Amino acid sequence: MRCVSLALVLAGALAAATPALADVSPPEGFTSARTETLEVNLHYVRDGGPGETVILLHGWPQTWASWIEVMPLLSPDYDVIAVDIRGAGKSDTPEGGYDKKTMAGDILGLMDELGIESANIVGHDIGGMTAFAFASQFSERTDTLTIVDVPLPGTPIFEMIARNPLAWHFAFHSAPNVPETLTVGREDFYYTDFLEKMDAGAGGITEHEIQITVDAYSDPESARAGFNWYRAFPQDAEDNQIFMETPLTMPVLGLNAGRLAPFPYVVQMMEPLAETVEGQALDSGHWIPETRPAETADLLDDFFNRY
């Protein structure tokens, strides 16, 4: 009887915590759309500008809107596409497929549907893991690869960072059912606290951006999907071990949050994995696209132009 009552309470809490997804307006000149023919359909925001295509992939706990200040700065010279990755925002939230090898296939499907032959792939956080998996599987479709502030499962850098108290959430999010149960109804506190602490005093995350996250991840299916990105880390490590047997041939840019790790750890991580690697640690917390949008756009533009 107590089990039934508990189930009813949790079901009620989940229903109460499911708001309408916040409607974030795209920047001027950009339009919002969804794929229509894929097994897992993705929402994206695109300007269709001139020049090479740039695909921007966000991390946890965010949506395409994490790039909203960078997008207009790249728009004059590039076809910029910011994607809600599998499980986030207005994209589909299937039961499985949250390993980054599969999620990279989602991005390939998006490119195929849009008729894009190749692109500069840029990923922050979980998006960076997905970007690496994409470049490793589909090198001929990857003009350049940019990884922003994330360690890749299966690398020594990942093992080092996973032991750091700042990465406590790796284990918490991976526990079956635990984070969903403990955060439901407490999304405002949990996501606000996480975003503010990982900002590391840089002032890069605004109240509006926090509200976008709280609204998006108060949806139980999106919350579950986000935690599943972490639960897939063991599979990601196995896949990455195979990927790392073949060095990447496209140029790689690595950026990381200098306020959290003052040494350029993404560059050090990628140097054994790719033929051409460059990058730096920026004066920022984890939320680099929000904290340093102009610097991020300039670094990307310079990188793309040289390759």
Side-chain angles (χ1 to χ4, degrees):
M1 185 68 178
R2 290 181 62 189
C3 292
V4 173
S5 299
L6 178 59
L8 291 172
V9 169
L10 286 175
L14 286 168
T18 309
L21 187 62
D23 185 19
V24 185
S25 298
E28 184 176 355
F30 286 79
T31 57
S32 174
R34 262 175 59 96
T35 59
E36 300 177 351
T37 64
L38 306 181
E39 182 178 347
V40 174
N41 285 300
L42 303 180
H43 169 254
Y44 61 94
V45 176
R46 184 184 191 184
D47 70 336
E52 299 174 349
T53 299
V54 179
I55 295 180
L56 303 171
L57 307 177
H58 64 86
W60 185 93
Q62 299 184 292
T63 66
W64 73 268
S66 68
W67 295 100
I68 202 165
E69 294 184 64
V70 174
M71 294 160 63
L73 301 177
L74 294 174
S75 181
D77 300 307
Y78 300 96
D79 173 21
V80 180
I81 304 174
V83 184
D84 279 336
I85 60 178
R86 173 187 292 236
K90 297 179 182 178
S91 291
D92 288 349
T93 55
E95 286 297 316
Y98 293 99
D99 60 280
K100 311 314 171 291
K101 180 179 179 180
T102 299
M103 291 171 66
D106 296 340
I107 305 306
L108 182 67
L110 169 68
M111 291 173 63
D112 286 344
E113 182 163 305
L114 298 180
I116 297 168
E117 287 298 319
S118 64
N120 299 285
I121 307 296
V122 182
H124 174 235
D125 190 80
I126 298 294
M129 296 181 184
T130 305
F132 175 73
F134 183 94
S136 297
Q137 295 176 94
F138 314 117
S139 59
E140 72 283 358
R141 309 291 292 270
T142 310
D143 295 328
T144 66
L145 169 65
T146 301
I147 296 180
V148 183
D149 208 42
V150 69
L152 298 176
T155 63
I157 288 286
F158 180 90
E159 296 304 322
M160 179 189 73
I161 289 178
R163 292 192 296 267
N164 189 310
L166 287 174
W168 60 270
H169 59 290
F170 284 15
F172 176 59
H173 292 172
S174 297
N177 300 318
V178 172
E180 292 96 326
T181 303
L182 295 183
T183 61
V184 66
R186 303 175 180 87
E187 292 88 357
D188 187 69
F189 166 77
Y190 185 64
Y191 294 110
T192 299
D193 183 73
F194 185 86
L195 291 168
E196 289 179 344
K197 286 178 178 173
M198 292 297 285
D199 188 46
I205 198 81
T206 67
E207 289 298 322
H208 177 63
E209 289 160 341
I210 289 172
Q211 194 58 52
I212 292 172
T213 289
V214 171
D215 288 350
Y217 286 84
S218 291
D219 171 61
E221 290 303 305
S222 293
R224 173 189 57 80
F227 298 135
N228 280 339
W229 296 338
Y230 290 84
R231 292 174 183 135
F233 282 179
Q235 182 61 55
D236 296 335
E238 290 185 20
D239 293 335
N240 287 346
Q241 289 293 330
I242 297 172
F243 295 153
M244 290 186 290
E245 293 176 359
T246 306
L248 298 174
T249 56
M250 77 290 297
V252 175
L253 176 66
L255 305 174
N256 67 275
R259 293 195 177 199
L260 298 174
F263 66 100
Y265 80 82
V266 179
V267 172
Q268 294 181 18
M269 175 180 69
M270 294 305 300
E271 282 178 338
L273 311 183
E275 295 177 359
T276 305
V277 182
E278 61 184 76
Q280 59 186 284
L282 305 180
D283 180 20
S284 171
H286 182 57
W287 318 112
I288 290 174
E290 296 91 339
T291 307
R292 297 286 183 267
E295 186 175 4
T296 300
D298 286 345
L299 287 168
L300 292 173
D301 181 51
D302 175 70
F303 178 59
F304 302 153
N305 278 322
R306 285 187 289 106
Y307 296 103

